Amino acid sequence: NAGVTQTPKFQVLKTGQSMTLQCAQDMNHNSMYWYRQDPGMGLRLIYYSASEGTTDKGEVPNGYNVSRLNKREFSLRLESAAPSQTSVYFCASRLDRGLQGTQYFGPGTRLTVL
Amino acid sequence: GENVEQHPSTLSVQEGDSAVIKCTYSDSASNYFPWYKQELGKRPQLIIDIRSNVGEKKDQRIAVTLNKTAKHFSLHITETQPEDSAVYFCAAFNAGGTSYGKLTFGQGTILTVHP
């Protein structure tokens, strides 16, 4: 049981390049989330998916797109990377059972945009 | 939407002392309040949580208190140890409407425990 996994661990892009961050969970969780973490800013929600086939914007969605490919996988795409997107990206998942349902985080992807 | 304020932003204590981190939230409908610990270069991990029908919860050296009327909750760490040094995040969750488990996080507190 690997929990939440993310690839890649590190990535360096040039301004204008595109890339997809991958996330997968093997806990049969319904909801999945993408956050970015910047120094002094805490964790900010980019997009989330309540179930397979549905996605919704979070606090900072501009410049990103997401795909909930199936129940296990939730990817985050940067179409045209900008230096402001330099950050650490965390994927998380949650099993929805009323008030239960801790969010479990992946190991993170450290992205640098030059 | 929900807004969570966390204080202090940094906290330095001597080993064996207690540490207290406080958070306030704005949405009275929030009903689940987890605390996460994040060590340097690692992922956030849940250390304790509390639900709105409970005023206090304790797990060994860690406790959380909730005051729904004042809309604030606090993390208490007793007998601190150097391995408690990390960034701590509070969060609030509103199960109503279409939130689907969206957590709103505080800005984080950097706790340093000096030997």
Side-chain angles (χ1 to χ4, degrees):
Chain A
N1 192 337
V4 182
T5 58
Q6 291 182 236
T7 56
K9 285 187 169 54
F10 302 94
Q11 183 71 48
V12 178
L13 293 177
K14 295 180 179 178
T15 296
Q17 287 186 317
S18 62
M19 79 160 295
T20 300
L21 281 64
Q22 306 288 351
C23 174
Q25 52 89 12
D26 60 3
M27 298 177 282
N28 201 33
H29 285 176
N30 299 320
S31 299
M32 296 185 73
Y33 311 82
W34 276 106
Y35 293 91
R36 61 177 288 172
Q37 185 175 35
D38 304 298
M41 299 291 290
L43 289 151
R44 293 186 292 171
L45 183 64
I46 305 171
Y47 270 94
Y48 67 103
S49 170
S51 62
E52 183 180 349
T54 67
T55 61
D56 282 287
K57 295 178 181 179
E59 183 184 353
V60 288
N62 291 343
Y64 305 94
N65 284 300
V66 291
S67 295
R68 182 75 182 268
L69 304 171
N70 46 56
K71 192 170 186 179
R72 289 187 63 249
E73 299 172 291
F74 189 37
S75 62
L76 178 71
R77 183 160 178 84
L78 287 71
E79 290 291 351
S80 179
S84 61
Q85 294 178 304
T86 293
S87 189
V88 180
Y89 292 85
F90 287 99
C91 177
S93 70
R94 174 179 178 268
L95 177 66
D96 296 320
R97 279 186 180 171
L99 288 184
Q100 296 181 23
T102 301
Q103 281 196 18
Y104 294 91
F105 286 84
T109 295
R110 187 173 294 274
L111 175 67
T112 301
V113 183
L114 302 175
Chain B
E2 175 66 278
N3 182 51
V4 176
E5 297 287 335
Q6 183 173 346
H7 298 281
S9 56
T10 60
L11 180 59
S12 183
V13 300
Q14 291 296 127
E15 183 176 2
D17 287 350
S18 294
V20 180
I21 303 171
K22 298 181 179 181
C23 290
T24 60
Y25 60 99
S26 60
D27 189 345
S28 57
S30 288
N31 47 24
Y32 172 64
F33 307 92
W35 285 88
Y36 286 83
K37 175 183 180 183
Q38 186 179 27
E39 297 176 348
L40 189 63
K42 300 286 182 64
R43 74 189 79 188
Q45 293 197 299
L46 180 78
I47 54 172
I48 195 168
D49 57 15
I50 191 167
R51 288 165 173 78
S52 59
N53 58 347
V54 175
E56 182 174 0
K57 183 177 179 180
K58 190 173 182 178
D59 183 3
Q60 299 183 354
R61 297 186 297 108
I62 294 173
V64 59
T65 58
L66 171 65
N67 183 326
K68 284 194 298 181
T69 303
K71 289 190 283 188
H72 67 70
F73 56 111
S74 300
L75 177 72
H76 304 253
I77 306 174
T78 58
E79 300 171 24
T80 53
Q81 302 167 3
E83 51 264 38
D84 294 329
S85 296
V87 181
Y88 291 81
F89 291 98
C90 63
F93 165 44
N94 176 3
T98 59
S99 63
Y100 294 114
K102 282 195 299 181
L103 287 176
T104 301
F105 285 87
Q107 294 81 0
T109 296
I110 302 172
L111 173 64
T112 304
V113 181
H114 299 282

